[in-house]
Amino acid sequence: RGLTDISLLERFIHLRYVDLSKNKLKDLAPLSSLTQLLSLKVDRNLLTSASMQELPYLQVISFDRNHIMDFEGITHPLLANLSLKENKIETVLGLSHDQLFSLQVLELRGNKIQTTAGLGVSKLKKLYLAKNMICSLEGLEEFEQLETLHLRDNKLEALDGFSGSMKCLQYLNLRTNGIKSFQEVEKLQVLPMLQALVLMDNPCAKEGNYRLEVLSRLPQLQRLDKESVEEEEREEAEKIRQTRKEKEK
């Protein structure tokens, strides 16, 4: 609606759900009096900062498609779902587990992030980092409760950084990166619960016997790319694994 001023909202102190999307807002200070707020949506505005006064009950925030550059001032204790899709964030530093101990879902698709180092929110269950510029994975060993990790459309060529402590990770999307060899895929063996892997549109996916080569290294997978793993395929992959073992001996 082209709104630039929301000071009128200060008096509506019992509001629980606020949607201010598609306006021209640069400042959210008037919302600080809305201490009962549970959900806030401010997509497609002109915000350069996500900083707000701490709101005690706020559980969901969406800041998608603004001009936000960092995580400064996001300190809401009950916040469970935070979306900052398509902003201008370059670093994941600044999010603190001490202040965001309830955060479970973090959406950072379409930013300019280069590394996962310093993402200090260890209770996350879902982390979306597609369409960034990530070329290295660091600090992932802290994510013991992470179930879903999206890294599609990044610049990964190596799969170092995954850890056996990531014992809940079930879904991993690595589509459209630069993974060339199955030796890199082998590094995912440290993930004990990995069930679904998306590797299509990587250089290694163009190799002959691609599916069998991956399944021979990650036999626990239930899905590879968009297809379920068939029993016959699993048996064939096991033969390849045994043959490789013999050669290594």
Side-chain angles (χ1 to χ4, degrees):
R1 296 183 175 275
L3 293 174
T4 55
D5 180 2
I6 53 169
S7 53
L8 189 71
L9 291 180
E10 286 176 329
R11 68 185 75 171
F12 296 99
I13 58 171
H14 298 294
L15 282 174
R16 304 285 177 92
Y17 302 91
V18 172
D19 187 346
L20 293 161
S21 300
K22 297 184 185 176
N23 282 291
K24 295 183 179 176
L25 301 177
K26 294 181 180 178
D27 178 26
L28 299 178
L31 301 180
S32 59
S33 59
L34 307 186
T35 55
Q36 306 301 305
L37 202 60
L38 298 177
S39 174
L40 174 63
K41 200 170 164 68
V42 280
D43 301 344
R44 294 179 187 272
N45 276 279
L46 303 175
L47 298 169
T48 55
S49 170
S51 184
M52 292 171 63
Q53 185 169 314
E54 187 175 299
L55 292 169
Y57 303 111
L58 190 58
Q59 293 167 33
V60 178
I61 308 180
S62 182
F63 286 116
D64 295 350
R65 300 182 181 92
N66 278 277
H67 307 288
I68 294 164
M69 301 177 82
D70 57 41
F71 297 126
E72 199 63 45
I74 304 176
T75 60
H76 316 287
L78 291 187
L79 189 64
N81 192 319
L82 173 61
S83 185
L84 285 151
K85 210 185 320 185
E86 294 179 36
N87 276 277
K88 297 186 177 179
I89 296 165
E90 294 183 8
T91 172
V92 294
L93 293 169
L95 279 184
S96 163
H97 174 68
D98 298 337
Q99 297 164 318
L100 293 170
F101 39 79
S102 302
L103 194 63
Q104 293 191 359
V105 181
L106 180 57
E107 166 66 89
L108 294 171
R109 229 175 301 209
N111 280 280
K112 298 179 179 180
I113 298 163
Q114 294 180 28
T115 174
T116 52
L119 190 55
V121 276
S122 55
K123 295 244 177 112
L124 281 180
K125 291 193 172 174
K126 297 185 178 181
L127 176 57
Y128 299 94
L129 289 165
K131 295 189 178 177
N132 276 281
M133 301 163 72
I134 297 170
C135 48
S136 68
L137 299 171
E138 298 168 76
L140 295 183
E141 60 279 352
E142 293 178 38
F143 294 106
E144 295 184 9
Q145 296 180 34
L146 196 67
E147 297 170 1
T148 297
L149 178 57
H150 267 257
L151 288 161
R152 178 178 176 172
D153 284 303
N154 276 284
K155 298 184 182 298
L156 291 167
E157 293 184 5
L159 294 177
D160 302 307
F162 289 99
S163 163
S165 62
M166 301 174 78
K167 50 187 183 291
C168 295
L169 191 66
Q170 295 177 30
Y171 178 91
L172 176 60
N173 192 326
L174 292 165
R175 183 174 182 173
T176 319
N177 276 275
I179 312 301
K180 295 184 176 73
S181 76
F182 296 118
Q183 281 71 30
E184 291 303 321
V185 176
E186 209 161 282
K187 293 173 182 175
L188 301 178
Q189 289 175 349
V190 298
L191 302 170
M193 292 298 289
L194 188 64
Q195 293 180 16
L197 175 65
V198 183
L199 260 181
M200 59 174 69
D201 300 329
N202 277 274
C204 67
K206 297 185 175 78
E207 297 289 329
N209 272 1
Y210 153 67
R211 282 180 67 86
L212 293 177
E213 287 291 347
V214 173
L215 293 171
S216 71
R217 290 166 168 84
L218 302 171
Q220 82 278 21
L221 288 182
Q222 302 298 313
R223 288 181 73 84
L224 177 57
D225 298 333
K226 294 182 178 179
E227 294 175 33
S228 296
V229 177
E230 302 293 334
E231 199 53 47
E232 292 162 13
E233 210 174 16
R234 202 180 293 285
E235 288 168 11
E236 197 66 34
E238 180 58 26
K239 286 178 192 170
I240 290 173
R241 192 161 76 97
Q242 293 301 337
T243 304
R244 192 167 55 245
K245 265 188 180 177
E246 291 300 319
K247 280 183 184 172
E248 284 167 4
K249 280 179 188 175

